[in-house]
């Protein structure tokens, strides 16, 4: 994996990027990884503006499966209410479909791909490791290799923080393997779209998958180093330390219940 190289290049990006800078930096990339905090409407508005300006050849969504994506016709993409019903969005666990509707509307013009995995697959990765259950070439995406210890430790710490510091330590490696599986599914879908349609392919996903040091861009660098990748992170507060994205931007925070309140 190219983590050390990625981090070295990213240290030069020390401040929030304006839209014009994001668009300039993304020019020439064949895969655009557009991160988000899932329930932040400002992040989705920025994604929509980027896609409108750069017009991708295809769009990959973390939020829907490959089977669901295959059912999206141009006519369905033009009808947000019908599309939300067809995707059973109300029962999906994802935020308000209105946030995503402008992004899915691109399905009227370009193909849509999905990389969402069902709970059974994620659970199997948790128990048996990502390589054992990945539907593609696990070696190509580095899933057969153990992570460097420093990265494993950092990723486990991030999983602990994401789960309100409430997880037993012995569960943390399973959560990391589940994340590796999701990263690989997104990378495989992005490459399938690129192979079929050329670039730029856009990937709509959470910030954790978009980060360059160990997310989808790192897997793409290993699986297809000839493919130029751009990664955008989006935040609600100033990030500290190294920011593992090519560019990053902020939107106003969402007023949401404290997800950790139940653990106190």
């Amino acid at each position: 994996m190219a983590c050390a190289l990625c981090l070295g290049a990213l240290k030069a990006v020390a401040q929030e990027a304006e839209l014009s800078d994001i668009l300039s930096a993304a020019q020439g990339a064949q895969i655009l990884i557009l991160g988000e905090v899932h329930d932040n409407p400002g992040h989705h508005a920025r994604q929509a503006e980027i896609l409108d300006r750069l017009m991708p050849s295809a769009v990959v969504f973390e939020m829907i499966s490959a089977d669901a994506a295959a059912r999206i016709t141009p006519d369905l993409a033009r009808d947000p209410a019908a599309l939300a019903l067809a995707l059973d969005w109300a029962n999906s666990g994802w935020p308000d479909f209105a946030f995503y509707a402008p992004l899915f509307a691109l399905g009227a013009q370009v193909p849509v791909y999905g990389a969402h995995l069902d709970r059974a697959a994620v659970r199997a990765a948790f128990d048996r490791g990502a390589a054992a259950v990945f539907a593609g070439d696990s070696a190509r995406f580095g899933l057969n290799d153990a992570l460097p210890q420093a990265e494993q430790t950092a990723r486990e710490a991030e999983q602990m923080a994401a789960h309100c510091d409430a997880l037993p330590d012995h569960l943390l490696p399973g959560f990391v393997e589940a994340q590796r599986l999701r990263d690989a599914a997104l990378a495989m879908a992005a490459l399938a779209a690129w192979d079929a349609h050329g670039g730029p392919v856009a990937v709509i996903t959470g910030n954790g998958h978009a980060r360059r040091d160990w997310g989808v861009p790192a897997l793409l660098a290993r699986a297809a180093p000839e493919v130029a990748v751009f990664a955008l992170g989006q935040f609600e507060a100033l990030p500290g330390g190294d920011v593992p994205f090519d560019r990053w931007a902020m939107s106003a925070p969402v007023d949401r219940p404290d997800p950790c309140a139940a653990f106190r």
Side-chain angles (χ1 to χ4, degrees):
M1 297 177 72
C3 298
L5 292 176
C6 293
L7 282 173
L10 288 165
K11 288 179 180 178
V13 183
Q15 62 184 17
E16 181 181 9
E18 299 290 339
L19 180 63
S20 59
D21 182 39
I22 293 170
L23 295 171
S24 177
Q27 287 289 342
Q30 292 154 312
I31 297 179
L32 313 170
I33 315 291
L34 305 181
E36 64 184 43
V37 174
H38 297 308
D39 64 348
N40 189 300
H43 293 180
H44 299 302
R46 186 177 287 108
Q47 289 169 333
E49 190 160 6
I50 292 169
L51 297 188
D52 182 63
R53 299 283 289 275
L54 297 180
M55 198 53 207
S57 61
V59 185
V60 178
F61 288 91
E62 176 192 354
M63 300 81 200
I64 61 172
S65 68
D67 288 344
R71 298 196 298 270
I72 298 178
T73 65
D75 285 344
L76 190 57
R78 294 187 186 99
D79 187 337
L83 180 56
L85 187 62
L87 295 175
D88 193 24
W89 194 271
N91 297 310
S92 70
W94 293 104
D96 192 333
F97 188 73
F99 296 166
Y100 290 93
L103 307 175
F104 277 109
L106 277 174
Q109 304 174 61
V110 302
V112 171
Y113 286 69
H116 182 71
L117 300 170
D118 62 31
R119 289 186 178 182
V122 175
R123 181 67 196 183
F126 188 100
D127 292 334
R128 297 161 48 204
V133 300
F134 182 53
D137 182 347
S138 58
R140 184 186 186 195
F141 294 96
L143 298 182
N144 294 357
D145 301 335
L147 297 176
Q149 187 55 53
E151 181 180 336
Q152 181 73 31
T153 299
R155 291 178 70 145
E156 289 184 12
E158 189 163 278
Q159 288 294 330
M160 180 65 88
H163 292 85
C164 304
D165 295 322
L167 292 176
D169 289 344
H170 72 274
L171 295 181
L172 295 173
F175 278 96
V176 172
E177 286 300 305
Q179 184 81 349
R180 294 181 76 188
L181 179 67
R182 292 187 177 103
D183 287 337
L186 282 159
M188 183 169 68
L191 287 177
W194 178 70
D195 286 341
H197 307 288
V201 169
V203 179
I204 304 300
T205 188
N207 284 328
H209 296 299
R211 54 187 297 159
R212 265 204 171 274
D213 50 358
W214 64 53
V216 175
L219 272 63
L220 291 172
R222 176 177 180 131
E226 72 281 8
V227 176
V229 177
F230 171 82
L232 173 71
Q234 297 197 80
F235 301 98
E236 295 182 329
L238 285 170
D242 291 326
V243 185
F245 302 94
D246 293 305
R247 295 292 188 274
W248 60 271
M250 292 201 308
S251 296
V254 171
D255 184 12
R256 60 177 72 84
D258 182 356
C260 299
F263 296 98
R264 297 194 182 102

